[in-house]
Amino acid sequence: MRSRTGCTSIWACATPGTRSRPASAADLITSPSSRPKNARTGGATIRNSSVNKTSSKALTWQLGVDWKASDAIFLYAVTRRGYRAGGINSPTLAGRLAPFQSFAPGKVTDVEVGIRSDFTMGDVKFQLNASPFVGWYNNVQVPISGLNTQASCSTTAAGGTNPPKSPDGDCDASNDPSGGTLLVNAGKTRVAGIDLSTRIQPTSTLSFDAGATFLDLKSRSLTVPAALQSYLAALKVPFNLVAKTTVTAGLRWTLPVPRSLAETVVSMDYYHSSKVRSSDQVLPAYDLVNGRLDLNGVGGSNADISFFVRNLFDKKYLASSNVGSAALGIFSGFYGVPRTYGVEVRYRFGD
């Protein structure tokens, strides 16, 4: 949430073409050669200052029922109301953007049912969990980017102030949204899906885990005004950094090494994420594999030594991105952490 106000008494207001920044003592000196005896008495004048305020509140609740159907099966159902507070865009906006100085709170109402189960088949132990759910979101808060005054903006030429040449219609870059981005209430969405997880333990020393989440994303209505729709990649509420499919898998194996040497455990895990949208970009799907070797109670002591490697195959993938826009012609992203390996040493004091 962005809630910082625009130009206030502790912020120096920028002149056209520059950005606002906190006022420092140096900003109050009229010239490099000024001395205290040359200064006028009285308070400094801060020009074009303003104060923007908003407030929001909402009632949230949760209602659920649990049923232990047997020693092996647990069932539940729950419905909830969630709330995300509103806030302020900065700096003080003008023209077409004035109505978007603040954004309203977002709300979600969801329903979830689930099963948790434990059972055995022969000597093999199983766990199976499933949780289907659906949530209805109202006043969804999304960032709209690319709201920067372009060099071709003109207040005299026909259509010279139309979007995307000017986001607010005044060709003044000094009051463009900070970072060229606004948080706005974009409309209504529906998110449905299911969480699945399972564990198979064929022996007391070996176990396999797997899990997945599948989402169905739907934009129910778009309330972004026509003045801002040209900044959207599509005329629907965007789902930023939401993967429709994620998959996990792992194993844990306690090796047949004498406990007098150490309890030796090998762990491997796998993670997959489908492609995700980030503003006007689409970040590709990726897969990661991690590994770990734990030596617990080395030599019968209270010392543990662990060796780990993350991103075993040194996968290059985009984990996130800056808020960007096709209107700017510039995109940037953040690569995930490359292959990382190391050693951890722990010592337990006491028995």
Side-chain angles (χ1 to χ4, degrees):
M1 182 186 73
R2 292 150 52 96
S3 60
R4 190 173 67 191
T5 60
C7 186
T8 66
S9 60
I10 62 169
W11 287 79
C13 288
T15 55
T18 63
R19 293 188 181 274
S20 298
R21 59 178 176 82
S24 66
D27 296 322
L28 304 179
I29 298 176
T30 56
S31 69
S33 60
S34 294
R35 295 293 184 268
K37 64 180 181 179
N38 304 126
R40 294 185 300 175
T41 59
T45 300
I46 300 179
R47 302 185 183 280
N48 300 324
S49 63
S50 63
V51 176
N52 298 304
K53 298 180 180 180
T54 189
S55 63
S56 55
K57 59 183 179 180
L59 175 68
T60 61
W61 44 263
Q62 176 174 310
L63 178 64
V65 58
D66 300 336
W67 179 34
K68 187 176 182 181
S70 69
D71 289 339
I73 298 178
F74 175 81
L75 304 171
Y76 72 91
V78 63
T79 180
R80 294 163 292 224
R81 165 62 64 88
Y83 163 79
R84 174 174 289 177
I88 293 287
N89 288 303
S90 63
T92 297
L93 304 175
R96 291 188 293 259
L97 298 186
F100 307 103
Q101 190 67 69
S102 63
F103 50 93
K107 298 179 180 179
V108 57
T109 302
D110 75 350
V111 176
E112 178 181 339
V113 296
I115 180 174
R116 304 287 184 262
S117 62
D118 297 277
F119 56 95
T120 60
M121 296 179 62
D123 295 329
V124 181
K125 296 181 178 179
F126 293 87
Q127 290 183 359
L128 178 61
N129 305 319
S131 302
F133 57 87
V134 58
W136 296 271
Y137 294 76
N138 296 317
N139 280 338
V140 180
Q141 299 170 2
V142 300
I144 295 182
S145 55
L147 287 88
N148 300 88
T149 298
Q150 299 181 0
S152 58
C153 185
S154 171
T155 57
T156 57
T161 61
N162 292 341
K165 295 179 181 179
S166 173
D168 53 14
D170 62 8
C171 291
D172 182 1
S174 68
N175 59 10
D176 287 351
S178 297
T181 301
L182 281 180
L183 273 176
V184 301
N185 300 105
K188 301 179 180 180
T189 62
R190 190 267 292 149
V191 178
I194 186 170
D195 290 326
L196 301 170
S197 65
T198 185
R199 169 172 289 184
I200 302 173
Q201 189 172 357
T203 71
S204 61
T205 60
L206 179 64
S207 63
F208 300 91
D209 296 275
T213 298
F214 302 99
L215 298 179
D216 178 55
L217 310 175
K218 182 180 180 180
S219 175
R220 294 190 291 153
S221 66
L222 181 70
T223 58
V224 175
L228 294 179
Q229 289 183 4
S230 62
Y231 296 96
L232 296 175
L235 293 181
K236 59 183 180 180
V237 181
F239 292 88
N240 284 313
L241 299 177
V242 178
K244 290 185 176 181
T245 302
T246 57
V247 177
T248 61
L251 69 85
R252 187 178 189 275
W253 182 23
T254 301
L255 300 179
V257 174
R259 294 293 295 266
S260 58
L261 296 178
E263 180 190 43
T264 307
V265 181
V266 174
S267 303
M268 299 290 293
D269 64 78
Y270 163 81
Y271 176 80
H272 165 80
S273 172
S274 62
K275 64 183 180 180
V276 300
R277 175 166 292 280
S278 178
S279 297
D280 288 357
Q281 301 185 70
V282 175
L283 308 184
Y286 65 90
D287 304 87
L288 296 177
V289 176
N290 306 312
R292 186 179 183 92
L293 173 64
D294 292 308
L295 305 176
N296 300 321
V298 177
S301 69
N302 290 340
D304 303 332
I305 301 177
S306 300
F307 303 88
F308 66 87
V309 56
R310 303 185 183 106
N311 192 359
L312 176 62
F313 299 108
D314 202 19
K315 174 72 174 182
K316 292 183 178 180
Y317 65 99
L318 288 171
S320 185
S321 72
N322 279 326
V323 177
S325 170
L328 297 177
I330 299 174
F331 293 111
S332 62
F334 303 97
Y335 281 103
V337 179
R339 181 193 293 128
T340 305
Y341 51 87
V343 178
E344 296 176 352
V345 179
R346 300 178 297 276
Y347 187 86
R348 301 183 302 278
F349 295 92
D351 295 332

